[in-house]
Amino acid sequence: MSEKEAALKDEKLKEFIISFDETLPAKEITYQVVLADKLLVAHAVKRGVPGVLFEEINTNSPFDDRWWSSFLNINIRTLQRYRKAKDHIFKPIQSEKIFELAEVINLGNEVFDSPEQFNSWLNMPSPALGNEKPIDLLDTSYGKDLVLAELNNIEYGIFV
């Protein structure tokens, strides 16, 4: 991605977020700021995640299109078509799932030293999760909560 494209993407993301809270200074809007503010997330879910925000989340993600299409319950070709359409807005139910996974991605990238280590952990059976792979639990909200709890346990050195 060129610098010009990256700047345009950042500008579109900032416009989207400022539309919910005009008191936010544009220079302070980052991916982490959005995830930390549950009210912003709730508004974004209702309005629908724009493609530019999905791409920002995906750049930090260990998931490929196959996983995303599974998580969002859409055909992989449909997802690829959405990604090509720069102005696509995801439905609220898909938007909620995108933000749920963004929480996992954000925490996983903080807990592990590298995205590769996080990806490896996601794909290994975990005794704390009933010997299931964490990635296999991410298709439900309850599974996502279990994975987040386990990531928090790892972060604080609590091993069960």
Side-chain angles (χ1 to χ4, degrees):
M1 178 183 304
S2 72
E3 282 186 37
K4 187 175 181 180
E5 289 173 324
L8 182 60
K9 183 179 91 169
D10 287 346
E11 196 57 38
K12 285 184 178 182
L13 176 60
K14 288 177 182 183
E15 286 174 15
F16 176 71
I17 299 305
I18 288 174
S19 70
F20 304 125
D21 186 353
E22 294 176 0
T23 64
L24 281 174
K27 65 180 179 175
E28 293 180 14
I29 296 175
T30 64
Y31 173 68
Q32 281 72 25
V33 167
V34 173
L35 286 179
D37 189 329
K38 298 293 185 189
L39 189 56
L40 280 178
V41 171
H43 288 297
V45 165
K46 285 182 184 180
R47 196 175 283 179
V49 169
V52 66
L53 180 54
F54 174 75
E55 288 305 321
E56 179 69 21
I57 291 167
N58 191 40
T59 59
N60 296 302
S61 157
F63 310 128
D64 59 17
D65 283 355
R66 181 179 53 89
W67 279 109
W68 278 111
S69 67
S70 174
F71 294 144
L72 300 176
N73 198 25
I74 57 177
N75 183 292
I76 193 166
R77 287 189 182 128
T78 302
L79 176 65
Q80 290 167 345
R81 193 173 62 249
Y82 289 171
R83 292 178 79 184
K84 285 181 184 175
K86 300 294 182 193
D87 58 348
H88 178 74
I89 305 291
F90 286 89
K91 295 176 184 174
I93 192 80
Q94 296 163 335
S95 297
E96 186 166 29
K97 191 63 173 176
I98 291 168
F99 275 112
E100 286 180 352
L101 291 167
E103 286 180 288
V104 173
I105 294 162
N106 195 43
L107 183 56
N109 286 332
E110 285 179 19
V111 169
F112 291 95
D113 292 332
S114 71
E116 293 78 22
Q117 286 180 340
F118 174 45
N119 190 30
S120 177
W121 177 81
L122 280 171
N123 288 287
M124 286 190 331
S126 171
L129 298 171
N131 284 323
E132 292 205 38
K133 295 177 187 176
I135 199 164
D136 291 336
L137 297 171
L138 294 177
D139 57 350
T140 68
S141 294
Y142 289 104
K144 182 256 332 176
D145 289 344
L146 290 169
V147 170
L148 283 175
E150 184 57 18
L151 284 169
N152 279 308
N153 287 343
I154 292 168
E155 182 175 31
Y156 293 107
I158 302 168
F159 299 102
V160 180

